[in-house]
Amino acid sequence: MAQNIDREKRNERTVRRFFDELVGDGDYDVADELLTENYVRHEMGPNPDMTGRRAFVDFIEGFKRAFSDVRVDVDELLVVNDYAVVRATERGTHDGAFMGLEPTGEQFEIGGIVIHRLEDGKIAETYACWDMLGLLGQLGVDPTTARRFDDE
């Protein structure tokens, strides 16, 4: 039982570091510590599934070029064995090109649900669902005019 509690605490630390250091701070060097080499991300919305630690770092670098002050606040976190379920709020300012859209200077705040599967204390797979329509609406954008993030 104690071993399972230790594993869950380690997994919780990894998930919090993922949001704080990797996504929020843009500390891409921690990706090796937090993500498996063959990390897979599944995301609903305009972003395609991605495979590999480097693919995710490239994605976050691109997102931070569009929203340099982006941060994710963990509102709730439930860790059971090697799974972590997160309800979070993402905030930022649109100060760079995003999905073919010029910077608006508008701020956004959206909710999301993220499920991480961990292996040996590293995130191996993620399922994410963020309110991308809410994001676009807060930027004053008609979602029918937006392009895929990977088309830039």
Side-chain angles (χ1 to χ4, degrees), residues 96-113:
F98 175 68
M99 297 175 62
L101 309 169
E102 291 303 313
T104 63
E106 296 292 333
Q107 294 183 340
F108 77 92
E109 180 177 305
I110 60 172
I113 302 292

PDB file of all heavy atoms in Angstrom, residues 96-113:
ATOM      1  N   GLY A  96       1.112  36.708 -30.547  1.00  0.00           N
ATOM      2  CA  GLY A  96       1.843  36.188 -31.707  1.00  0.00           C
ATOM      3  C   GLY A  96       0.877  35.469 -32.633  1.00  0.00           C
ATOM      4  O   GLY A  96      -0.277  35.223 -32.287  1.00  0.00           O
ATOM      5  N   ALA A  97       1.329  35.143 -33.842  1.00  0.00           N
ATOM      6  CA  ALA A  97       0.461  34.465 -34.817  1.00  0.00           C
ATOM      7  C   ALA A  97      -0.010  33.124 -34.265  1.00  0.00           C
ATOM      8  O   ALA A  97       0.755  32.400 -33.629  1.00  0.00           O
ATOM      9  CB  ALA A  97       1.209  34.259 -36.122  1.00  0.00           C
ATOM     10  N   PHE A  98      -1.283  32.826 -34.509  1.00  0.00           N
ATOM     11  CA  PHE A  98      -1.887  31.581 -34.015  1.00  0.00           C
ATOM     12  C   PHE A  98      -2.904  31.106 -35.032  1.00  0.00           C
ATOM     13  O   PHE A  98      -3.848  31.818 -35.358  1.00  0.00           O
ATOM     14  CB  PHE A  98      -2.574  31.837 -32.667  1.00  0.00           C
ATOM     15  CG  PHE A  98      -3.329  30.655 -32.117  1.00  0.00           C
ATOM     16  CD1 PHE A  98      -2.661  29.518 -31.691  1.00  0.00           C
ATOM     17  CD2 PHE A  98      -4.710  30.689 -32.020  1.00  0.00           C
ATOM     18  CE1 PHE A  98      -3.349  28.432 -31.181  1.00  0.00           C
ATOM     19  CE2 PHE A  98      -5.410  29.608 -31.501  1.00  0.00           C
ATOM     20  CZ  PHE A  98      -4.731  28.482 -31.085  1.00  0.00           C
ATOM     21  N   MET A  99      -2.681  29.897 -35.560  1.00  0.00           N
ATOM     22  CA  MET A  99      -3.606  29.293 -36.525  1.00  0.00           C
ATOM     23  C   MET A  99      -3.883  30.244 -37.686  1.00  0.00           C
ATOM     24  O   MET A  99      -5.004  30.357 -38.163  1.00  0.00           O
ATOM     25  CB  MET A  99      -4.912  28.885 -35.835  1.00  0.00           C
ATOM     26  CG  MET A  99      -4.747  27.831 -34.766  1.00  0.00           C
ATOM     27  SD  MET A  99      -6.252  27.450 -33.854  1.00  0.00           S
ATOM     28  CE  MET A  99      -7.301  26.822 -35.164  1.00  0.00           C
ATOM     29  N   GLY A 100      -2.858  30.959 -38.126  1.00  0.00           N
ATOM     30  CA  GLY A 100      -3.011  31.885 -39.234  1.00  0.00           C
ATOM     31  C   GLY A 100      -3.629  33.218 -38.845  1.00  0.00           C
ATOM     32  O   GLY A 100      -3.901  34.054 -39.708  1.00  0.00           O
ATOM     33  N   LEU A 101      -3.820  33.433 -37.565  1.00  0.00           N
ATOM     34  CA  LEU A 101      -4.440  34.666 -37.077  1.00  0.00           C
ATOM     35  C   LEU A 101      -3.374  35.603 -36.533  1.00  0.00           C
ATOM     36  O   LEU A 101      -2.547  35.200 -35.726  1.00  0.00           O
ATOM     37  CB  LEU A 101      -5.445  34.346 -35.971  1.00  0.00           C
ATOM     38  CG  LEU A 101      -6.480  33.273 -36.295  1.00  0.00           C
ATOM     39  CD1 LEU A 101      -7.233  32.869 -35.051  1.00  0.00           C
ATOM     40  CD2 LEU A 101      -7.422  33.780 -37.371  1.00  0.00           C
ATOM     41  N   GLU A 102      -3.418  36.841 -36.966  1.00  0.00           N
ATOM     42  CA  GLU A 102      -2.488  37.837 -36.447  1.00  0.00           C
ATOM     43  C   GLU A 102      -2.811  38.119 -34.981  1.00  0.00           C
ATOM     44  O   GLU A 102      -3.953  37.973 -34.557  1.00  0.00           O
ATOM     45  CB  GLU A 102      -2.575  39.115 -37.283  1.00  0.00           C
ATOM     46  CG  GLU A 102      -2.032  38.934 -38.697  1.00  0.00           C
ATOM     47  CD  GLU A 102      -0.588  38.454 -38.714  1.00  0.00           C
ATOM     48  OE1 GLU A 102       0.249  39.018 -37.964  1.00  0.00           O
ATOM     49  OE2 GLU A 102      -0.282  37.510 -39.468  1.00  0.00           O
ATOM     50  N   PRO A 103      -1.835  38.556 -34.203  1.00  0.00           N
ATOM     51  CA  PRO A 103      -2.064  38.832 -32.786  1.00  0.00           C
ATOM     52  C   PRO A 103      -3.185  39.860 -32.580  1.00  0.00           C
ATOM     53  O   PRO A 103      -3.249  40.853 -33.293  1.00  0.00           O
ATOM     54  CB  PRO A 103      -0.731  39.399 -32.299  1.00  0.00           C
ATOM     55  CG  PRO A 103       0.275  38.987 -33.316  1.00  0.00           C
ATOM     56  CD  PRO A 103      -0.447  38.828 -34.609  1.00  0.00           C
ATOM     57  N   THR A 104      -4.035  39.575 -31.610  1.00  0.00           N
ATOM     58  CA  THR A 104      -5.139  40.489 -31.295  1.00  0.00           C
ATOM     59  C   THR A 104      -4.868  41.269 -30.017  1.00  0.00           C
ATOM     60  O   THR A 104      -5.541  42.263 -29.756  1.00  0.00           O
ATOM     61  CB  THR A 104      -6.450  39.705 -31.098  1.00  0.00           C
ATOM     62  OG1 THR A 104      -6.299  38.836 -29.968  1.00  0.00           O
ATOM     63  CG2 THR A 104      -6.819  38.908 -32.340  1.00  0.00           C
ATOM     64  N   GLY A 105      -3.924  40.807 -29.198  1.00  0.00           N
ATOM     65  CA  GLY A 105      -3.686  41.427 -27.911  1.00  0.00           C
ATOM     66  C   GLY A 105      -4.721  41.043 -26.861  1.00  0.00           C
ATOM     67  O   GLY A 105      -4.640  41.455 -25.709  1.00  0.00           O
ATOM     68  N   GLU A 106      -5.697  40.230 -27.262  1.00  0.00           N
ATOM     69  CA  GLU A 106      -6.766  39.807 -26.354  1.00  0.00           C
ATOM     70  C   GLU A 106      -6.258  38.725 -25.405  1.00  0.00           C
ATOM     71  O   GLU A 106      -5.422  37.907 -25.760  1.00  0.00           O
ATOM     72  CB  GLU A 106      -7.964  39.271 -27.132  1.00  0.00           C
ATOM     73  CG  GLU A 106      -8.643  40.297 -28.008  1.00  0.00           C
ATOM     74  CD  GLU A 106      -9.354  41.380 -27.227  1.00  0.00           C
ATOM     75  OE1 GLU A 106      -9.775  41.114 -26.082  1.00  0.00           O
ATOM     76  OE2 GLU A 106      -9.477  42.494 -27.756  1.00  0.00           O
ATOM     77  N   GLN A 107      -6.828  38.721 -24.214  1.00  0.00           N
ATOM     78  CA  GLN A 107      -6.532  37.668 -23.254  1.00  0.00           C
ATOM     79  C   GLN A 107      -7.616  36.600 -23.333  1.00  0.00           C
ATOM     80  O   GLN A 107      -8.738  36.886 -23.758  1.00  0.00           O
ATOM     81  CB  GLN A 107      -6.474  38.246 -21.835  1.00  0.00           C
ATOM     82  CG  GLN A 107      -5.317  39.189 -21.656  1.00  0.00           C
ATOM     83  CD  GLN A 107      -5.200  39.704 -20.235  1.00  0.00           C
ATOM     84  OE1 GLN A 107      -6.143  39.673 -19.466  1.00  0.00           O
ATOM     85  NE2 GLN A 107      -4.018  40.169 -19.898  1.00  0.00           N
ATOM     86  N   PHE A 108      -7.240  35.384 -22.965  1.00  0.00           N
ATOM     87  CA  PHE A 108      -8.216  34.299 -22.942  1.00  0.00           C
ATOM     88  C   PHE A 108      -8.120  33.546 -21.628  1.00  0.00           C
ATOM     89  O   PHE A 108      -7.092  33.576 -20.950  1.00  0.00           O
ATOM     90  CB  PHE A 108      -8.031  33.341 -24.128  1.00  0.00           C
ATOM     91  CG  PHE A 108      -6.877  32.391 -23.957  1.00  0.00           C
ATOM     92  CD1 PHE A 108      -7.077  31.127 -23.393  1.00  0.00           C
ATOM     93  CD2 PHE A 108      -5.595  32.743 -24.347  1.00  0.00           C
ATOM     94  CE1 PHE A 108      -6.020  30.247 -23.225  1.00  0.00           C
ATOM     95  CE2 PHE A 108      -4.533  31.868 -24.178  1.00  0.00           C
ATOM     96  CZ  PHE A 108      -4.742  30.624 -23.622  1.00  0.00           C
ATOM     97  N   GLU A 109      -9.193  32.851 -21.317  1.00  0.00           N
ATOM     98  CA  GLU A 109      -9.253  31.950 -20.165  1.00  0.00           C
ATOM     99  C   GLU A 109     -10.214  30.832 -20.539  1.00  0.00           C
ATOM    100  O   GLU A 109     -11.389  31.095 -20.796  1.00  0.00           O
ATOM    101  CB  GLU A 109      -9.763  32.683 -18.930  1.00  0.00           C
ATOM    102  CG  GLU A 109      -9.840  31.787 -17.708  1.00  0.00           C
ATOM    103  CD  GLU A 109     -10.279  32.544 -16.468  1.00  0.00           C
ATOM    104  OE1 GLU A 109      -9.638  33.551 -16.126  1.00  0.00           O
ATOM    105  OE2 GLU A 109     -11.283  32.104 -15.856  1.00  0.00           O
ATOM    106  N   ILE A 110      -9.688  29.619 -20.613  1.00  0.00           N
ATOM    107  CA  ILE A 110     -10.515  28.475 -21.000  1.00  0.00           C
ATOM    108  C   ILE A 110     -10.299  27.317 -20.039  1.00  0.00           C
ATOM    109  O   ILE A 110      -9.273  27.243 -19.367  1.00  0.00           O
ATOM    110  CB  ILE A 110     -10.229  28.003 -22.445  1.00  0.00           C
ATOM    111  CG1 ILE A 110      -8.762  27.575 -22.614  1.00  0.00           C
ATOM    112  CG2 ILE A 110     -10.618  29.081 -23.453  1.00  0.00           C
ATOM    113  CD1 ILE A 110      -8.451  26.924 -23.941  1.00  0.00           C
ATOM    114  N   GLY A 111     -11.268  26.426 -20.006  1.00  0.00           N
ATOM    115  CA  GLY A 111     -11.167  25.222 -19.194  1.00  0.00           C
ATOM    116  C   GLY A 111     -10.772  24.032 -20.045  1.00  0.00           C
ATOM    117  O   GLY A 111     -10.925  24.036 -21.274  1.00  0.00           O
ATOM    118  N   GLY A 112     -10.259  23.018 -19.374  1.00  0.00           N
ATOM    119  CA  GLY A 112      -9.878  21.801 -20.064  1.00  0.00           C
ATOM    120  C   GLY A 112      -9.832  20.619 -19.112  1.00  0.00           C
ATOM    121  O   GLY A 112      -9.746  20.777 -17.892  1.00  0.00           O
ATOM    122  N   ILE A 113      -9.930  19.451 -19.715  1.00  0.00           N
ATOM    123  CA  ILE A 113      -9.786  18.185 -19.005  1.00  0.00           C
ATOM    124  C   ILE A 113      -8.636  17.433 -19.665  1.00  0.00           C
ATOM    125  O   ILE A 113      -8.589  17.299 -20.890  1.00  0.00           O
ATOM    126  CB  ILE A 113     -11.070  17.326 -19.079  1.00  0.00           C
ATOM    127  CG1 ILE A 113     -12.271  18.066 -18.508  1.00  0.00           C
ATOM    128  CG2 ILE A 113     -10.857  15.974 -18.411  1.00  0.00           C
ATOM    129  CD1 ILE A 113     -12.214  18.296 -17.016  1.00  0.00           C
TER     130      ILE A 113
END
